[in-house]
Amino acid sequence: MRQVLGWLALAGLVVGLASAGCGKGDSGGEASSTGSSAQGGTDKKLVVGFSQIGAESAWRTANTESIKSEAEKRGIELKFADAQQKQENQIKAIRSFIAQKVDVIAFAPVVEEGWEPVLKEAKEAGIPVFVSDRRPAVPEDLYVTFIGSDFVKEGQMAAEWLAKKMDGKAVIAELTGTPGSAPANDRKKGFEEVLANHPDMKVVFSQTGNFTRAEGKQVMEALLKSDVGKTINALYAHNDDMALGAIQAIEEAGKKPGVDIIIVSIDGVKGAFDAMIAGTLNCTVECNPLLGPYLFDAIEKFKKGETLPKRIVIEDKFFDQTMAAQELPNRKY
Ligand code: GYE
């Protein structure tokens, strides 16, 4: 019996070392194996700590669900922390993952700045970091890869669609995302780049709605009561949730969203498709939140010793009212 156990332990150690791959500083061979298979093997389960931003939007809910379900499908142990929009909570979560000696840390940075110290701590502990969804402003050697959409391109696509729809003439209100976040910065930038070629398209109002439906509604309500608000004929919202909130406010103010005010937003969630079919939203630029498969593919490849590109871009396209009904059955989020 003793000998059998000995052989099993040795087999487990070999598997453990093989799956530890590069980048892990601590010694293998510890007895903290979390998963032993039903067949009696001692495969060490990969432990991934994921720091999520919060639950501000339908996009985020779909993103969380994708990460959780994909980890489960692959038999990966996921330690999931919801930061409720606070960077300090994310930093705490990352520090706690380091203390727990997880195999991999993944996170979606709520804002761009302020990550360098904690990512250096992870690096010193020998724990590889994977960036999901939003880009942090840190040197590239502090993470393995960044997986997510090109937000500048999304902003450009929104502006190009609007320019075409409105023949290059529009008085635009902009609802921006979380201040300091990569998608808010980049979606604004991409939109403005295209507007620079259209002198008769002007953003006359820009305010944050923090990517939430409730704030999108509030900001639009206040805007419609103001003098500037009475002049707008287009709305650019950095996500669908804010657009959907704004649509409610526009209706309550006695105007026709999608007609009196042409609306383009970003994400491509189901609610946006419903609104396009109802005629209240005009266009949505897709931003794929189903990052779970991409993230865990990258982590598993890295663990096998493969070199990954620093940037893995998810391709997005846009959908407008003419495409909405046909596309709705294909939507997964
Ligand atoms: O567009 C928005 C969410 O970071 C791409 O965050 C993500 C954005 C998404 O709250 O709905």
Side-chain angles (χ1 to χ4, degrees), residues 56-57 59-60 133-134 151 183 187 211 239 267 287:
E56 71 280 5
S57 63
W59 189 100
R60 188 67 49 200
D133 163 28
R134 299 182 181 178
F151 302 138
R187 286 171 183 172
F211 283 132
N239 81 344
D267 275 356
C287 178

Side-chain angles (χ1 to χ4, degrees), residues 53 55-60 85 108-110 132-134 149 151 154 178 181-184 187 210-212 238-242 266-267 269 287-289 291:
I53 292 169
E56 71 280 5
S57 63
W59 189 100
R60 188 67 49 200
Q85 309 299 315
V110 60
S132 171
D133 163 28
R134 299 182 181 178
S149 293
F151 302 138
E154 290 171 351
T178 304
S181 71
R187 286 171 183 172
N210 279 309
F211 283 132
T212 70
H238 287 191
N239 81 344
D240 290 339
D241 285 66
M242 292 189 294
I266 298 177
D267 275 356
V269 299
C287 178
N288 187 356
L291 301 182

Side-chain angles (χ1 to χ4, degrees), residues 168-332:
K169 268 193 164 182
V171 185
I172 308 162
E174 179 186 32
L175 284 171
T176 59
T178 304
S181 71
N185 293 342
D186 291 354
R187 286 171 183 172
K188 185 180 196 63
K189 186 170 165 232
F191 194 81
E192 279 170 359
E193 276 170 16
V194 172
L195 250 55
N197 308 324
H198 296 280
D200 293 330
M201 290 179 77
K202 290 242 152 48
V203 175
V204 295
F205 173 90
S206 179
Q207 199 174 307
T208 185
N210 279 309
F211 283 132
T212 70
R213 191 185 279 233
E215 280 182 72
K217 181 167 189 258
Q218 269 168 26
V219 174
M220 189 45 102
E221 258 164 24
L223 172 62
L224 290 173
K225 285 181 192 141
S226 72
D227 288 343
V228 189
K230 300 199 170 77
T231 68
I232 64 157
N233 60 10
L235 169 67
Y236 168 43
H238 287 191
N239 81 344
D240 290 339
D241 285 66
M242 292 189 294
L244 294 172
I247 285 169
Q248 256 181 292
I250 295 168
E251 278 170 343
E252 284 169 21
K255 286 195 176 190
K256 278 201 169 136
V259 179
D260 299 330
I261 299 175
I262 301 299
I263 307 172
V264 57
S265 58
I266 298 177
D267 275 356
V269 299
K270 275 206 182 112
F273 280 80
D274 292 338
M276 284 194 288
I277 291 165
T280 55
L281 177 72
N282 301 86
C283 178
T284 185
V285 176
E286 179 183 54
C287 178
N288 187 356
L290 309 179
L291 301 182
Y294 296 94
L295 176 65
F296 292 111
D297 270 356
I299 291 175
E300 286 179 343
K301 277 186 183 165
F302 175 78
K303 281 288 175 189
K304 280 188 204 139
E306 286 181 40
T307 319
L308 294 169
K310 275 286 157 185
R311 178 79 170 103
I312 298 172
V313 186
I314 314 294
E315 291 297 330
D316 303 309
K317 41 188 183 288
F318 76 82
F319 299 94
D320 65 15
Q321 286 182 354
T322 64
M323 310 158 169
Q326 206 192 345
E327 175 63 14
L328 183 63
N330 307 327
R331 302 310 291 171
K332 296 198 174 64

